[in-house]
Amino acid sequence: MEACDTPQRILVVEDDPALGRVIEICLRHPARRVDLRVDGDSGLEAIRDLDPDLVILDIALPGIDGWEVLRQLRQHDQDDVSVLVLTAFADPASRDRAEVEGADAYLSKPFKPEMLRTVVDDLICPDPE
C-alpha cells in the first residue's frame, strides 16, 4: 500500500531520538510531514499547535507518560486525530488498555517498517467505500 497523495501531518512522540528518526524515514513520502517530540509534555503541546492527522505515541515517556497524553487528547474532543500506540509493552493488558483509552491502532516494538507503513496508511488514507 502506498501513502495517499493528500497532505498529511504525523506527530511522533518517542523518547528515543534515533528510533524517532527511523520512524520518520520509514514514513517518508512527499505528501507527508513528520514532526518529532521526545516527551509527553512537548507532545501534547505539539498536538494543540500542529493539528496532526496522526499521532504515533510511545507509552514510556519522560514527564507525563503516553497513557496520560492519550487520555488528555481524547478528553479534549480531538477524536479527529488518529492515534497509533507504538510501544515496547507487548502484553495483552497494554493492548487492551490502549483500545479502552481510545487508541486507533497498536504496534509493539520492535516493528517491521512495512507493517508500520501499512498501519499508518490505513489510519490516515482509508480506502473509500
Side-chain angles (χ1 to χ4, degrees):
M1 180 179 288
E2 287 188 24
C4 57
D5 294 326
T6 313
Q8 307 153 0
R9 185 161 219 161
I10 299 172
L11 174 64
V12 177
V13 186
E14 168 59 59
D15 63 327
D16 179 343
L19 182 56
R21 183 74 175 123
V22 167
I23 294 167
E24 181 181 24
I25 291 167
C26 287
L27 299 178
R28 187 170 287 156
H29 184 274
R32 286 189 177 146
R33 167 133 188 215
V34 179
D35 297 283
L36 304 173
R37 297 297 185 273
V38 294
D39 60 56
D41 295 305
S42 64
L44 271 176
E45 184 177 320
I47 291 167
R48 287 189 296 270
D49 294 345
L50 302 176
D51 191 29
D53 299 294
L54 171 67
V55 176
I56 298 177
L57 182 62
D58 187 15
I59 295 302
L61 296 170
I64 62 172
D65 67 15
W67 296 126
E68 183 61 23
V69 171
L70 180 57
R71 195 172 305 112
Q72 287 190 35
L73 174 68
R74 292 307 186 218
Q75 283 178 350
H76 291 99
D77 293 328
Q78 290 177 301
D79 291 328
D80 59 327
V81 178
S82 295
V83 177
L84 164 59
V85 169
L86 180 63
T87 181
F89 300 119
D91 59 290
S94 293
R95 182 179 297 275
D96 291 345
R97 182 174 179 187
E99 185 178 334
V100 168
E101 297 283 349
D104 298 287
Y106 184 97
L107 281 177
S108 58
K109 301 173 192 172
F111 60 89
K112 293 182 179 182
E114 55 276 356
M115 177 58 94
L116 176 64
R117 284 190 292 272
T118 297
V119 171
V120 167
D121 287 346
D122 287 348
L123 289 172
I124 58 179
C125 301
D127 289 329
E129 301 207 17

